[in-house]
Short mmCIF file of all heavy atoms in Angstrom, two decimals:
data_model
loop_
_atom_site.label_atom_id
_atom_site.label_comp_id
_atom_site.label_asym_id
_atom_site.label_seq_id
_atom_site.Cartn_x
_atom_site.Cartn_y
_atom_site.Cartn_z
N ALA B 591 101.45 55.73 97.50
CA ALA B 591 101.27 56.09 96.13
C ALA B 591 99.79 56.33 95.85
O ALA B 591 98.89 55.77 96.52
CB ALA B 591 101.84 54.97 95.15
N GLY B 592 99.56 57.02 94.77
CA GLY B 592 98.13 57.43 94.44
C GLY B 592 97.33 56.09 94.20
O GLY B 592 96.14 56.09 94.61
N SER B 593 97.96 55.11 93.65
CA SER B 593 97.19 53.82 93.46
C SER B 593 96.74 53.29 94.74
O SER B 593 95.66 52.68 94.85
CB SER B 593 98.11 52.86 92.69
OG SER B 593 99.25 52.65 93.47
N LEU B 595 95.91 54.90 97.44
CA LEU B 595 94.68 55.64 97.85
C LEU B 595 93.52 55.24 96.98
O LEU B 595 92.42 55.01 97.53
CB LEU B 595 94.95 57.19 97.70
CG LEU B 595 93.73 58.03 97.93
CD1 LEU B 595 93.11 57.89 99.23
CD2 LEU B 595 94.11 59.54 97.70
N ALA B 596 93.73 55.11 95.71
CA ALA B 596 92.62 54.73 94.85
C ALA B 596 92.04 53.36 95.30
O ALA B 596 90.80 53.17 95.34
CB ALA B 596 93.16 54.68 93.39
N GLU B 737 88.58 61.27 99.09
CA GLU B 737 89.52 61.20 98.03
C GLU B 737 89.83 62.60 97.47
O GLU B 737 91.02 62.95 97.31
CB GLU B 737 89.01 60.28 96.93
CG GLU B 737 89.97 59.98 95.83
CD GLU B 737 89.55 58.94 94.80
OE1 GLU B 737 88.28 59.02 94.54
OE2 GLU B 737 90.31 58.17 94.31
N LEU B 738 88.78 63.35 97.19
CA LEU B 738 88.97 64.67 96.78
C LEU B 738 89.75 65.54 97.75
O LEU B 738 90.67 66.28 97.42
CB LEU B 738 87.66 65.33 96.43
CG LEU B 738 87.64 66.77 95.85
CD1 LEU B 738 88.39 66.76 94.54
CD2 LEU B 738 86.31 67.34 95.66
N LEU B 740 91.84 64.65 99.94
CA LEU B 740 93.26 64.31 100.06
C LEU B 740 94.06 64.82 98.88
O LEU B 740 95.20 65.27 99.04
CB LEU B 740 93.43 62.79 100.26
CG LEU B 740 92.89 62.26 101.65
CD1 LEU B 740 93.06 60.79 101.75
CD2 LEU B 740 93.57 62.91 102.78
N HIS B 741 93.44 64.76 97.70
CA HIS B 741 94.16 65.42 96.55
C HIS B 741 94.22 66.89 96.77
O HIS B 741 95.23 67.48 96.40
CB HIS B 741 93.44 64.99 95.28
CG HIS B 741 93.79 63.53 94.89
ND1 HIS B 741 94.96 63.28 94.22
CD2 HIS B 741 93.15 62.42 95.04
CE1 HIS B 741 94.99 62.00 93.97
NE2 HIS B 741 93.91 61.50 94.46
N HIS B 742 93.19 67.44 97.31
CA HIS B 742 93.18 68.90 97.63
C HIS B 742 94.29 69.22 98.65
O HIS B 742 95.08 70.18 98.45
CB HIS B 742 91.84 69.25 98.23
CG HIS B 742 91.77 70.61 98.74
ND1 HIS B 742 91.78 70.90 100.08
CD2 HIS B 742 91.61 71.79 98.18
CE1 HIS B 742 91.72 72.22 100.32
NE2 HIS B 742 91.57 72.78 99.16
N GLN B 744 97.05 67.60 99.08
CA GLN B 744 98.37 67.57 98.43
C GLN B 744 98.65 68.74 97.52
O GLN B 744 99.81 69.09 97.49
CB GLN B 744 98.40 66.26 97.53
CG GLN B 744 98.46 64.98 98.44
CD GLN B 744 98.60 63.72 97.48
OE1 GLN B 744 97.84 63.58 96.46
NE2 GLN B 744 99.53 62.85 97.89
N GLN B 745 97.63 69.32 97.00
CA GLN B 745 97.91 70.60 96.26
C GLN B 745 98.41 71.65 97.18
O GLN B 745 99.32 72.42 96.93
CB GLN B 745 96.61 71.08 95.59
CG GLN B 745 96.14 70.19 94.39
CD GLN B 745 94.94 70.73 93.76
OE1 GLN B 745 94.00 71.12 94.38
NE2 GLN B 745 94.98 70.69 92.38
N GLU B 748 102.13 71.33 98.16
CA GLU B 748 103.05 72.03 97.24
C GLU B 748 103.02 73.58 97.48
O GLU B 748 104.07 74.27 97.52
CB GLU B 748 102.64 71.73 95.80
CG GLU B 748 103.53 72.49 94.82
CD GLU B 748 103.78 71.68 93.52
OE1 GLU B 748 103.14 70.62 93.35
OE2 GLU B 748 104.59 72.16 92.70
N GLY B 795 92.78 63.39 77.95
CA GLY B 795 91.96 63.57 79.09
C GLY B 795 91.93 62.21 79.93
O GLY B 795 92.44 61.15 79.42
N HIS B 796 91.38 62.28 81.06
CA HIS B 796 91.54 61.12 81.95
C HIS B 796 90.46 60.08 81.59
O HIS B 796 89.36 60.36 81.42
CB HIS B 796 91.25 61.59 83.45
CG HIS B 796 91.67 60.53 84.42
ND1 HIS B 796 90.90 59.49 84.85
CD2 HIS B 796 92.86 60.36 85.04
CE1 HIS B 796 91.46 58.73 85.69
NE2 HIS B 796 92.72 59.20 85.88
N PRO B 797 90.91 58.80 81.39
CA PRO B 797 90.06 57.80 80.93
C PRO B 797 89.18 57.16 81.97
O PRO B 797 88.19 56.54 81.66
CB PRO B 797 91.03 56.71 80.39
CG PRO B 797 92.23 56.92 81.22
CD PRO B 797 92.33 58.30 81.63
N GLY B 798 89.57 57.35 83.25
CA GLY B 798 88.83 56.68 84.31
C GLY B 798 89.12 55.19 84.18
O GLY B 798 89.67 54.80 83.19
N PRO B 799 88.81 54.33 85.16
CA PRO B 799 88.42 54.76 86.50
C PRO B 799 89.54 55.34 87.31
O PRO B 799 90.64 55.51 86.72
CB PRO B 799 87.87 53.55 87.09
CG PRO B 799 88.71 52.46 86.48
CD PRO B 799 89.02 52.91 85.15
N GLY B 800 89.39 55.54 88.56
CA GLY B 800 90.43 56.11 89.33
C GLY B 800 90.17 57.63 89.43
O GLY B 800 89.37 58.19 88.63
N PHE B 801 90.91 58.27 90.30
CA PHE B 801 90.69 59.65 90.58
C PHE B 801 91.20 60.60 89.51
O PHE B 801 92.31 60.35 89.00
CB PHE B 801 91.34 60.08 91.94
CG PHE B 801 91.09 61.47 92.21
CD1 PHE B 801 89.92 61.92 92.73
CD2 PHE B 801 92.07 62.40 91.91
CE1 PHE B 801 89.69 63.34 93.02
CE2 PHE B 801 91.89 63.87 92.15
CZ PHE B 801 90.65 64.22 92.70
N SER B 802 90.49 61.58 89.16
CA SER B 802 90.96 62.75 88.38
C SER B 802 90.12 63.93 88.79
O SER B 802 89.02 63.77 89.28
CB SER B 802 90.88 62.49 86.88
OG SER B 802 89.54 62.33 86.52
N PHE B 803 90.65 65.05 88.55
CA PHE B 803 89.83 66.31 88.79
C PHE B 803 88.90 66.45 87.67
O PHE B 803 89.07 65.87 86.50
CB PHE B 803 90.77 67.53 88.89
CG PHE B 803 91.52 67.63 90.25
CD1 PHE B 803 92.91 67.44 90.26
CD2 PHE B 803 90.86 67.85 91.39
CE1 PHE B 803 93.49 67.52 91.51
CE2 PHE B 803 91.47 67.88 92.65
CZ PHE B 803 92.88 67.68 92.62
N ASP B 804 87.84 67.16 87.85
CA ASP B 804 86.85 67.38 86.80
C ASP B 804 87.42 68.03 85.57
O ASP B 804 87.01 67.76 84.45
CB ASP B 804 85.62 68.06 87.31
CG ASP B 804 85.88 69.46 87.98
OD1 ASP B 804 87.07 69.91 87.87
OD2 ASP B 804 84.94 70.17 88.39
N ASN B 805 88.44 68.80 85.75
CA ASN B 805 88.99 69.54 84.61
C ASN B 805 89.78 68.71 83.67
O ASN B 805 90.16 69.07 82.58
CB ASN B 805 89.78 70.78 85.04
CG ASN B 805 91.04 70.34 85.83
OD1 ASN B 805 91.39 69.17 85.97
ND2 ASN B 805 91.72 71.37 86.36
N GLU B 806 90.08 67.43 84.05
CA GLU B 806 90.74 66.47 83.19
C GLU B 806 89.81 65.60 82.37
O GLU B 806 90.25 64.77 81.60
CB GLU B 806 91.63 65.50 84.07
CG GLU B 806 92.67 66.21 84.92
CD GLU B 806 93.24 65.23 85.99
OE1 GLU B 806 93.80 64.17 85.51
OE2 GLU B 806 93.15 65.54 87.21
N ARG B 807 88.53 65.90 82.51
CA ARG B 807 87.49 65.04 81.92
C ARG B 807 86.59 65.91 81.01
O ARG B 807 86.52 67.11 81.20
CB ARG B 807 86.66 64.39 82.95
CG ARG B 807 87.44 63.41 83.88
CD ARG B 807 86.50 62.64 84.75
NE ARG B 807 85.68 63.45 85.61
CZ ARG B 807 85.91 63.71 86.92
NH1 ARG B 807 86.92 63.20 87.57
NH2 ARG B 807 85.10 64.48 87.60
N ARG B 809 87.52 62.41 78.70
CA ARG B 809 88.43 62.02 77.71
C ARG B 809 87.78 62.20 76.37
O ARG B 809 86.58 61.99 76.13
CB ARG B 809 88.79 60.57 77.89
CG ARG B 809 89.92 60.02 76.99
CD ARG B 809 90.55 58.84 77.62
NE ARG B 809 91.59 58.25 76.74
CZ ARG B 809 92.88 58.51 76.82
NH1 ARG B 809 93.39 59.38 77.61
NH2 ARG B 809 93.75 57.78 76.05
N GLU B 909 99.08 71.46 75.37
CA GLU B 909 98.93 70.46 76.43
C GLU B 909 98.56 69.05 75.85
O GLU B 909 98.97 68.06 76.39
CB GLU B 909 97.87 70.89 77.47
CG GLU B 909 96.48 71.17 77.01
CD GLU B 909 95.55 71.35 78.21
OE1 GLU B 909 95.75 70.66 79.29
OE2 GLU B 909 94.58 72.07 78.08
N TRP B 912 101.87 67.53 74.95
CA TRP B 912 102.61 67.13 76.15
C TRP B 912 101.96 65.76 76.64
O TRP B 912 102.67 64.84 77.02
CB TRP B 912 102.45 68.15 77.18
CG TRP B 912 103.40 67.96 78.37
CD1 TRP B 912 104.59 68.56 78.57
CD2 TRP B 912 103.26 67.14 79.50
NE1 TRP B 912 105.19 68.13 79.71
CE2 TRP B 912 104.40 67.19 80.28
CE3 TRP B 912 102.21 66.19 79.86
CZ2 TRP B 912 104.58 66.50 81.50
CZ3 TRP B 912 102.44 65.41 81.08
CH2 TRP B 912 103.58 65.63 81.79
N GLU B 913 100.68 65.70 76.55
CA GLU B 913 99.99 64.50 77.13
C GLU B 913 100.26 63.22 76.25
O GLU B 913 100.38 62.14 76.79
CB GLU B 913 98.49 64.82 77.21
CG GLU B 913 97.73 63.71 78.08
CD GLU B 913 96.37 64.17 78.48
OE1 GLU B 913 96.07 65.32 78.82
OE2 GLU B 913 95.49 63.30 78.46
N VAL B 914 100.27 63.50 74.92
CA VAL B 914 100.64 62.40 73.96
C VAL B 914 102.02 61.93 74.37
O VAL B 914 102.26 60.68 74.45
CB VAL B 914 100.60 62.95 72.56
CG1 VAL B 914 101.33 61.93 71.61
CG2 VAL B 914 99.15 63.15 72.07
N ALA B 915 102.99 62.79 74.56
CA ALA B 915 104.35 62.42 74.89
C ALA B 915 104.43 61.71 76.24
O ALA B 915 105.24 60.79 76.45
CB ALA B 915 105.29 63.59 74.85
N ALA B 916 103.60 62.14 77.11
CA ALA B 916 103.72 61.59 78.55
C ALA B 916 102.91 60.30 78.76
O ALA B 916 103.07 59.65 79.74
CB ALA B 916 103.26 62.69 79.51
N ALA B 917 102.02 60.04 77.75
CA ALA B 917 100.98 58.92 78.01
C ALA B 917 101.74 57.61 78.41
O ALA B 917 101.28 56.94 79.31
CB ALA B 917 100.23 58.67 76.73
N ASP B 918 102.94 57.32 77.83
CA ASP B 918 103.55 56.12 78.13
C ASP B 918 104.79 56.25 79.01
O ASP B 918 105.52 55.25 79.25
CB ASP B 918 103.97 55.39 76.83
CG ASP B 918 102.75 55.16 75.93
OD1 ASP B 918 101.68 54.78 76.50
OD2 ASP B 918 102.88 55.34 74.72
N ALA B 919 105.06 57.47 79.42
CA ALA B 919 106.31 57.69 80.24
C ALA B 919 106.05 57.18 81.61
O ALA B 919 104.98 57.21 82.17
CB ALA B 919 106.57 59.17 80.31
N PRO B 920 107.11 56.64 82.28
CA PRO B 920 107.05 56.16 83.61
C PRO B 920 106.81 57.33 84.55
O PRO B 920 107.44 58.40 84.40
CB PRO B 920 108.42 55.45 83.88
CG PRO B 920 109.35 56.06 82.87
CD PRO B 920 108.51 56.48 81.71
N LEU B 921 106.03 57.11 85.61
CA LEU B 921 105.66 58.17 86.53
C LEU B 921 106.68 58.26 87.55
O LEU B 921 106.38 57.95 88.75
CB LEU B 921 104.22 57.94 87.02
CG LEU B 921 103.40 59.23 87.31
CD1 LEU B 921 101.98 58.94 87.35
CD2 LEU B 921 103.96 59.96 88.51
N ASP B 922 107.93 58.54 87.23
CA ASP B 922 108.89 58.74 88.29
C ASP B 922 109.67 60.06 88.03
O ASP B 922 109.53 60.68 87.04
CB ASP B 922 109.81 57.58 88.51
CG ASP B 922 110.52 57.27 87.17
OD1 ASP B 922 110.49 58.06 86.29
OD2 ASP B 922 111.10 56.10 87.05
N PHE B 925 110.45 64.24 93.01
CA PHE B 925 109.25 64.78 93.65
C PHE B 925 109.57 65.20 95.01
O PHE B 925 110.73 65.14 95.48
CB PHE B 925 108.18 63.69 93.67
CG PHE B 925 107.67 63.31 92.33
CD1 PHE B 925 107.92 62.03 91.76
CD2 PHE B 925 106.94 64.25 91.61
CE1 PHE B 925 107.49 61.68 90.55
CE2 PHE B 925 106.44 63.84 90.40
CZ PHE B 925 106.69 62.57 89.78
N LEU B 946 109.78 64.45 82.51
CA LEU B 946 108.41 64.97 82.26
C LEU B 946 107.65 65.12 83.51
O LEU B 946 106.92 66.00 83.70
CB LEU B 946 107.66 63.95 81.32
CG LEU B 946 107.95 64.10 79.80
CD1 LEU B 946 107.41 62.81 79.03
CD2 LEU B 946 107.32 65.36 79.27
N PHE B 947 107.91 64.21 84.44
CA PHE B 947 107.31 64.34 85.75
C PHE B 947 108.28 64.82 86.77
O PHE B 947 109.45 64.42 86.76
CB PHE B 947 106.72 62.95 86.23
CG PHE B 947 105.60 62.52 85.26
CD1 PHE B 947 105.88 61.53 84.33
CD2 PHE B 947 104.36 63.12 85.29
CE1 PHE B 947 104.85 61.08 83.48
CE2 PHE B 947 103.33 62.74 84.46
CZ PHE B 947 103.62 61.63 83.49
N GLY B 948 107.86 65.64 87.64
CA GLY B 948 108.74 66.15 88.69
C GLY B 948 109.66 67.25 88.26
O GLY B 948 109.50 67.78 87.17
N TRP B 951 107.30 72.15 86.78
CA TRP B 951 106.03 72.24 86.01
C TRP B 951 106.38 72.88 84.69
O TRP B 951 107.20 73.80 84.59
CB TRP B 951 105.00 73.17 86.63
CG TRP B 951 104.38 72.59 87.90
CD1 TRP B 951 104.72 72.79 89.22
CD2 TRP B 951 103.28 71.63 87.88
NE1 TRP B 951 103.91 72.09 90.01
CE2 TRP B 951 102.96 71.34 89.28
CE3 TRP B 951 102.55 71.02 86.90
CZ2 TRP B 951 101.99 70.48 89.58
CZ3 TRP B 951 101.59 70.16 87.28
CH2 TRP B 951 101.25 69.89 88.65
N TYR B 961 87.60 71.30 78.58
CA TYR B 961 87.53 70.28 77.56
C TYR B 961 86.17 70.23 76.90
O TYR B 961 85.16 70.51 77.62
CB TYR B 961 87.95 68.95 78.13
CG TYR B 961 89.36 68.67 78.31
CD1 TYR B 961 89.84 67.69 79.20
CD2 TYR B 961 90.34 69.53 77.75
CE1 TYR B 961 91.17 67.43 79.38
CE2 TYR B 961 91.75 69.30 77.94
CZ TYR B 961 92.10 68.24 78.77
OH TYR B 961 93.45 68.08 78.99
N TYR B 974 85.63 74.22 92.24
CA TYR B 974 86.98 73.79 92.51
C TYR B 974 87.91 74.24 91.31
O TYR B 974 88.96 74.83 91.52
CB TYR B 974 87.01 72.29 92.69
CG TYR B 974 88.28 71.75 93.35
CD1 TYR B 974 88.24 71.22 94.58
CD2 TYR B 974 89.49 71.74 92.70
CE1 TYR B 974 89.38 70.75 95.23
CE2 TYR B 974 90.62 71.29 93.32
CZ TYR B 974 90.56 70.83 94.57
OH TYR B 974 91.71 70.30 95.19
N ASN B 975 87.46 74.00 90.09
CA ASN B 975 88.33 74.21 88.97
C ASN B 975 87.66 75.08 87.92
O ASN B 975 88.29 75.98 87.32
CB ASN B 975 88.67 72.91 88.28
CG ASN B 975 89.69 72.11 89.05
OD1 ASN B 975 90.81 72.61 89.32
ND2 ASN B 975 89.42 70.89 89.40
N VAL B 984 98.02 76.45 80.95
CA VAL B 984 98.15 75.12 81.56
C VAL B 984 99.63 74.71 81.74
O VAL B 984 100.44 75.05 80.84
CB VAL B 984 97.44 74.08 80.64
CG1 VAL B 984 97.83 72.66 81.14
CG2 VAL B 984 95.94 74.31 80.63
N LEU B 985 99.93 74.18 82.84
CA LEU B 985 101.26 73.59 83.12
C LEU B 985 101.12 72.10 83.37
O LEU B 985 100.06 71.66 83.94
CB LEU B 985 101.94 74.22 84.34
CG LEU B 985 102.17 75.70 84.27
CD1 LEU B 985 101.07 76.45 85.00
CD2 LEU B 985 103.54 76.12 84.82
N ARG B 986 102.11 71.35 82.98
CA ARG B 986 101.97 69.92 83.17
C ARG B 986 103.16 69.25 83.88
O ARG B 986 104.24 69.82 83.82
CB ARG B 986 101.91 69.27 81.68
CG ARG B 986 100.63 69.65 80.97
CD ARG B 986 99.44 68.98 81.63
NE ARG B 986 98.18 69.06 80.78
CZ ARG B 986 97.60 67.94 80.34
NH1 ARG B 986 98.08 66.75 80.51
NH2 ARG B 986 96.50 68.12 79.60
N GLY B 987 102.97 68.15 84.50
CA GLY B 987 104.00 67.29 84.92
C GLY B 987 104.42 67.33 86.32
O GLY B 987 105.23 66.48 86.75
N GLY B 988 104.02 68.27 87.13
CA GLY B 988 104.44 68.27 88.51
C GLY B 988 105.84 68.79 88.69
O GLY B 988 106.58 69.02 87.70
N SER B 989 106.29 68.94 89.93
CA SER B 989 107.61 69.52 90.25
C SER B 989 108.24 68.86 91.43
O SER B 989 107.64 67.88 91.94
CB SER B 989 107.37 71.01 90.57
OG SER B 989 107.00 71.17 91.94
N THR B 992 106.02 68.57 94.33
CA THR B 992 104.68 67.84 94.19
C THR B 992 104.84 66.39 94.75
O THR B 992 105.83 65.77 94.53
CB THR B 992 104.35 67.67 92.71
OG1 THR B 992 104.50 68.88 92.06
CG2 THR B 992 103.00 67.07 92.48
N PRO B 993 103.78 66.00 95.59
CA PRO B 993 103.91 64.62 96.02
C PRO B 993 103.73 63.66 94.76
O PRO B 993 102.92 63.88 93.91
CB PRO B 993 102.62 64.48 96.85
CG PRO B 993 102.24 65.90 97.33
CD PRO B 993 102.73 66.77 96.11
N ARG B 994 104.49 62.63 94.79
CA ARG B 994 104.53 61.69 93.69
C ARG B 994 103.11 61.07 93.48
O ARG B 994 102.73 60.93 92.28
CB ARG B 994 105.49 60.55 94.04
CG ARG B 994 105.55 59.45 92.95
CD ARG B 994 106.31 58.26 93.43
NE ARG B 994 107.66 58.63 93.86
CZ ARG B 994 108.75 58.45 93.09
NH1 ARG B 994 108.64 57.87 91.91
NH2 ARG B 994 109.96 58.78 93.61
N SER B 995 102.43 60.76 94.48
CA SER B 995 101.06 60.20 94.25
C SER B 995 100.02 61.14 93.82
O SER B 995 98.93 60.78 93.64
CB SER B 995 100.59 59.59 95.63
OG SER B 995 100.43 60.59 96.58
N HIS B 996 100.40 62.36 93.59
CA HIS B 996 99.42 63.37 93.24
C HIS B 996 99.38 63.65 91.77
O HIS B 996 98.35 64.13 91.25
CB HIS B 996 99.80 64.71 93.98
CG HIS B 996 98.80 65.80 93.75
ND1 HIS B 996 97.49 65.73 94.19
CD2 HIS B 996 98.94 66.95 93.10
CE1 HIS B 996 96.92 66.82 93.82
NE2 HIS B 996 97.74 67.55 93.19
N ILE B 997 100.38 63.29 91.03
CA ILE B 997 100.52 63.64 89.67
C ILE B 997 100.13 62.57 88.67
O ILE B 997 100.05 61.37 89.09
CB ILE B 997 101.98 64.20 89.39
CG1 ILE B 997 102.00 64.99 88.08
CG2 ILE B 997 102.97 63.07 89.34
CD1 ILE B 997 101.32 66.35 88.23
N ARG B 998 99.79 62.89 87.52
CA ARG B 998 99.60 61.86 86.40
C ARG B 998 99.59 62.65 85.17
O ARG B 998 99.61 63.83 85.06
CB ARG B 998 98.20 61.18 86.66
CG ARG B 998 97.05 62.11 86.67
CD ARG B 998 95.79 61.57 87.31
NE ARG B 998 94.92 62.65 87.73
CZ ARG B 998 95.00 63.21 88.92
NH1 ARG B 998 95.70 62.66 89.93
NH2 ARG B 998 94.25 64.26 89.27
N ALA B 999 99.65 61.83 84.04
CA ALA B 999 99.81 62.41 82.71
C ALA B 999 98.74 63.36 82.28
O ALA B 999 98.94 64.27 81.53
CB ALA B 999 100.01 61.26 81.67
N THR B 1000 97.52 63.17 82.80
CA THR B 1000 96.43 63.99 82.36
C THR B 1000 96.23 65.25 83.30
O THR B 1000 95.28 65.99 83.03
CB THR B 1000 95.12 63.15 82.42
OG1 THR B 1000 94.92 62.69 83.73
CG2 THR B 1000 95.22 61.99 81.47
N TYR B 1001 97.09 65.34 84.26
CA TYR B 1001 96.88 66.49 85.26
C TYR B 1001 97.10 67.86 84.72
O TYR B 1001 98.11 68.13 84.08
CB TYR B 1001 97.91 66.18 86.42
CG TYR B 1001 97.70 66.95 87.68
CD1 TYR B 1001 97.08 66.39 88.74
CD2 TYR B 1001 97.97 68.32 87.74
CE1 TYR B 1001 96.91 67.05 89.95
CE2 TYR B 1001 97.81 69.04 88.90
CZ TYR B 1001 97.23 68.42 90.01
OH TYR B 1001 97.06 69.11 91.16
N ARG B 1002 96.15 68.74 84.91
CA ARG B 1002 96.18 70.11 84.35
C ARG B 1002 96.41 71.05 85.53
O ARG B 1002 95.45 71.31 86.24
CB ARG B 1002 94.93 70.49 83.63
CG ARG B 1002 94.50 69.46 82.57
CD ARG B 1002 93.16 69.85 81.99
NE ARG B 1002 93.28 70.87 80.98
CZ ARG B 1002 92.23 71.70 80.52
NH1 ARG B 1002 91.06 71.47 81.01
NH2 ARG B 1002 92.47 72.56 79.61
N ASN B 1003 97.54 71.73 85.58
CA ASN B 1003 97.74 72.71 86.53
C ASN B 1003 97.67 74.10 85.72
O ASN B 1003 97.67 74.02 84.50
CB ASN B 1003 99.14 72.63 87.18
CG ASN B 1003 99.23 73.34 88.53
OD1 ASN B 1003 98.29 74.07 88.89
ND2 ASN B 1003 100.30 73.27 89.20
N PHE B 1004 97.39 75.22 86.44
CA PHE B 1004 97.12 76.35 85.71
C PHE B 1004 97.54 77.56 86.55
O PHE B 1004 97.32 77.64 87.77
CB PHE B 1004 95.62 76.50 85.35
CG PHE B 1004 94.73 76.18 86.43
CD1 PHE B 1004 94.24 77.15 87.29
CD2 PHE B 1004 94.28 74.84 86.64
CE1 PHE B 1004 93.34 76.86 88.33
CE2 PHE B 1004 93.49 74.53 87.71
CZ PHE B 1004 92.98 75.53 88.56
#
Side-chain angles (χ1 to χ4, degrees):
Chain B
S593 56
L595 173 58
E737 187 173 36
L738 182 62
L740 292 179
H741 283 278
H742 171 259
Q744 289 184 312
Q745 291 182 314
E748 176 150 7
H796 197 271
F801 179 80
S802 64
F803 287 112
D804 56 2
N805 64 7
E806 302 169 56
R807 299 189 300 260
R809 189 157 172 92
E909 62 169 328
W912 195 97
E913 194 169 321
V914 164
D918 302 321
L921 213 162
D922 56 16
F925 294 111
L946 278 169
F947 296 105
W951 288 99
Y961 281 163
Y974 198 110
N975 283 305
V984 172
L985 301 97
R986 292 294 193 114
S989 81
T992 310
R994 178 190 304 258
S995 63
H996 182 65
I997 197 70
R998 58 199 157 267
T1000 59
Y1001 194 104
R1002 308 175 80 195
N1003 202 354
F1004 46 92

